Every structure is written in C-alpha cells, then in structure tokens.
C-alpha cells in the first residue's frame, strides 16, 4: 500500500525532485547475459536512475555490447578497466563514480524485476524512520535457476523474523551463530544490496585483496559498525547458474581462508579460529569429492568441539544434501519434486 501511494506521489514530481539512485553492474566475460542484466536495470520503474557498468577487462564481446548501450543511453556510464582488477575493485569504481544518493548493485548474469529499486527504497526509508538509524543495508529476495531447471528460492535478511543488528550478523557470517527469531536470510550478497552511498563510504568500501568473499567481508565490517540488515520479501531477483575460473572450489577455499585470517583476532577471542579453519577445509574436500578426507577432518572437529560440531553439522548437512541432490538430478525428478512441494503448500493453506 505504501509503495503504491508513493508511486503515485513520485509520478507527479519532476525528475530533479526524485532522489537519484545509482545502479552498479560489474562485468567480466558476460557476453551472453550482460545485455539482459542491463535491460532489467533500464526497465526499473523508479523515475531517476543512472546506471554505471564496469567492464573488468573482459576477453569476450562484453565490451562491444556495453559500448552499444553507452552510445544509445543518456543515463548510462561505462568504465573500462585496462587490466582485470577483480569484483571488489570494480565495485569501488562504481561507488567513486556514482552521483546517486543511493546505490543498488546488480550482477551481470541476474535479472531484476522492474519494481526492485522502488520496493527496496521504500523498505529502507520506512525502517530508518521507525528505528531512528541511517546505517541500514537492504537486501532483495529472489530465486536461482539451475541448468536442470531446479529452482531454489532465497530470502533476504529480516524477512521471516527480526532483522539482524550489528554483531548478530557478523557472528553469523564468521562462525554461523544463529539466535532464535533472528532472520539471517541468505546473508549479505552484494548482487541484491541497496543502501545509501554514505553507508558504503562510512564502512570503507570493498577490500580489493579479496578476489571472492568480498561481499561477506563488507557485511562483517558493516555489522561491526552496528548496521541493521533488512530486506524485502518480494522475489525480485532471478539468478541463473553460471561458472568460471573465479568460481572454482579452490578459489572459494582460498578466499574463505583469507577471510578467516583477516578476522583471526576476533575468532581467537571467541575460541573459534581453529574450528573455522577446519570447517572450511571440510567444505573444500567435499566440493572436490574427497569425502573420505572430509570425514576424517569432521571426526577431528567432533573430538575437539563436540557440541558445536553436532549443532553446526545438523543445521547444514541435511539442507546441503537435499540441495546438491536436486542440483544434480534429472529434470523429470525436479518437476516431480516441484509438484509435490506445490501440493504440500496447497494442503497447508487449506488447513490454515
């Protein structure tokens, strides 16, 4: 209701009277998807936007596609990096070149619905007013579609419970501490992030030493500053499974190690530094299909941290098993599974 009322209000305003929002898209070798991502940015129903895209020295036809948009769109700015600098550096380029009072990040292989920006803007301002704070990060919900048509929904922080505040989110990101009734959602993915530009500058932008996990690192630093993490429940983002040299198990493992080392003092103060190093080693061995070695590390972890290991493994193992099974299943099995879920949801609604 608030969104519809404000939509009418802003429709009657001049463009100069509506807050400028910057949409930032980093691009690296995304020739098959970048046009689709940009179109979803230009289709936003917000009346005053600028789009900044960074071509991070792509080696495919991404630059040509981006330059095509640059020649036809007035509110579009293209930045070409002569060398591949990584996602964190590219996002910093967007922040430093943005003119918007607010910044929203889109990914080069995602699609956002036309009301994404409007909904996140309304949610942010409403939360700020009600909670008397201007240090808020607003995330969007959506779905991810895998190559076998398996679709997994994801929800943003604060949607199905209380919004995490400060170290509540930092502890979740660093060692998976979960407090009852707090809705951590899908964490802090930058591809769904909307916040004031001042928030990014206050936190200290993205760490360029992080080739992956830079969004988690940013979320931790934001949490340490005492930020509030909220979201919108509407599924406004559609992600598609993709692969690349920067998404391998080895790169993820090394990035996770770098993150743990960066916050080693804090983890040591909690007595969890060695625990988290072993935990991410288990994940890495599992992802490279070395489950025997992963089991040996798990036993070692259990012997040293029995309660935490049982709780942690119990919270994540079953969900991960189901998720990976569906990711690798035949499309007919996926369809049958989706029909079953739909049937169960209908029965639950009828009972209510």
């Amino acid at each position: 209701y608030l969104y519809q009322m404000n939509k009418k209000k802003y429709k009657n305003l001049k463009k100069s009277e509506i807050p400028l929002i910057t949409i930032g898209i980093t691009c690296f070798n995304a020739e098959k998807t970048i046009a689709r991502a940009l179109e979803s940015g230009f289709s936003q129903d917000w009346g005053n936007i600028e789009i900044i895209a960074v071509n991070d020295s792509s080696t495919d036809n991404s630059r040509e596609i981006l330059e095509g948009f640059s020649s036809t769109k007035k509110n579009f700015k293209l930045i070409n990096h002569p060398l591949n600098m990584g996602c964190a550096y590219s996002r910093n380029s967007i922040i430093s070149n943005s003119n918007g009072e607010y910044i929203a990040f889109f990914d080069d292989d995602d699609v956002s619905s036309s009301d994404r920006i409007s909904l996140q803007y309304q949610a942010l301002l409403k939360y700020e007013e009600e909670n008397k704070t201007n240090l808020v990060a607003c995330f969007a919900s959506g779905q991810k579609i895998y190559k076998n048509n398996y679709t997994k929904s994801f929800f943003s922080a604060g949607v199905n419970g209380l919004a995490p505040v400060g170290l509540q989110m930092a502890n979740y990101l660093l060692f998976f501490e979960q407090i009852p009734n707090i809705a951590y959602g899908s964490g802090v993915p930058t591809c769904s992030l909307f916040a004031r530009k001042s928030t990014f500058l206050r936190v200290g932008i993205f760490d360029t030493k992080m080739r992956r996990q830079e969004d988690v690192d940013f979320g931790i630093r934001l949490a340490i500053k005492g930020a509030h993490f909220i979201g919108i429940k509407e599924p406004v983002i559609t992600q598609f499974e993709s692969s690349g040299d920067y998404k391998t198990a080895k790169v993820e493992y090394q990035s996770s190690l770098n993150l743990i080392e960066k916050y080693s003092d804090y983890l040591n103060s909690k007595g969890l530094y060695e625990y988290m190093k072993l935990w991410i080693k288990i994940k890495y061995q599992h992802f490279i299909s070395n489950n025997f070695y992963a089991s040996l590390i798990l036993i070692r972890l259990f012997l040293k941290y029995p309660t935490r290991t049982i709780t942690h493994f119990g919270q994540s193992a079953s969900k991960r098993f189901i998720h990976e099974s569906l990711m690798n299943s035949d499309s007919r099995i996926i369809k049958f599974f989706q029909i079953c879920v739909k049937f169960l949801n209908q029965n639950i609604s009828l009972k209510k």
Side-chain angles (χ1 to χ4, degrees), residues 43-269:
S43 72
Q44 294 298 305
D45 60 15
W46 189 257
N48 191 15
I49 64 168
E50 67 170 1
I51 296 182
I52 301 177
V54 173
N55 169 40
D56 196 25
S57 194
S58 297
T59 57
D60 61 3
N61 291 318
S62 294
R63 178 168 180 166
E64 288 75 9
I65 296 169
L66 289 165
E67 287 177 343
F69 279 89
S70 183
S71 63
T72 58
K73 302 288 186 180
K74 292 182 179 179
N75 58 336
F76 180 67
K77 183 187 297 182
L78 174 60
I79 300 170
N80 286 304
H81 286 170
L83 298 173
N84 180 258
M85 304 300 293
C87 194
Y89 191 96
S90 297
R91 284 175 175 150
N92 291 343
S93 291
I94 290 168
I95 294 168
S96 61
N97 284 278
S98 65
N99 296 306
E101 184 180 350
Y102 304 86
I103 299 175
F105 280 103
F106 287 26
D107 263 8
D108 60 12
D109 54 354
D110 293 350
V111 174
S112 293
S113 63
S114 60
D115 56 352
R116 173 187 161 180
I117 295 299
S118 298
L119 288 169
Q120 287 188 276
Y121 174 83
Q122 295 296 335
L124 183 78
L125 261 64
K126 184 174 183 289
Y127 188 90
E128 286 181 340
E129 184 178 350
E130 290 177 350
N131 294 273
K132 309 303 179 188
T133 178
N134 62 0
L135 191 59
V136 183
C138 181
F139 297 87
S141 301
Q143 60 182 351
K144 184 168 184 175
I145 302 174
Y146 292 83
K147 292 176 182 177
N148 61 353
N149 291 323
Y150 161 50
T151 301
K152 179 176 174 59
S153 297
F154 59 88
F155 296 95
S156 50
V159 167
N160 295 317
L162 299 174
V165 178
L167 292 180
Q168 292 174 346
M169 180 59 87
N171 292 348
Y172 173 73
L173 295 173
L174 279 169
F175 47 87
F176 307 103
E177 179 180 84
Q178 296 186 52
I179 300 171
N181 302 321
I182 300 293
Y184 301 94
S186 57
V188 290
T190 309
C191 63
S192 71
L193 174 59
F194 178 95
R196 292 180 180 272
K197 180 176 180 177
S198 59
T199 296
F200 292 99
L201 298 177
R202 183 173 169 183
V203 174
I205 58 181
F206 292 89
D207 186 348
T208 56
K209 295 177 183 178
M210 307 287 294
R211 298 293 287 191
R212 294 283 290 172
Q213 304 284 337
E214 78 289 336
D215 51 355
V216 178
D217 170 62
F218 180 81
I220 292 168
R221 287 186 286 121
L222 187 57
I224 291 171
K225 291 283 186 181
H228 297 238
F229 297 82
I230 68 167
I232 56 172
K233 64 180 179 180
E234 293 83 358
V236 295
I237 297 178
T238 299
Q239 299 178 332
F240 299 89
E241 182 184 11
S242 60
S243 58
D245 293 340
Y246 58 96
K247 291 184 178 180
T248 64
K250 188 174 182 180
V251 171
E252 288 288 348
Y253 174 61
Q254 188 58 55
S255 297
S256 296
L257 273 181
N258 292 342
L259 190 72
I260 287 172
E261 291 301 327
K262 183 170 183 176
Y263 296 98
S264 59
D265 288 345
Y266 184 68
L267 287 167
N268 272 318
S269 72

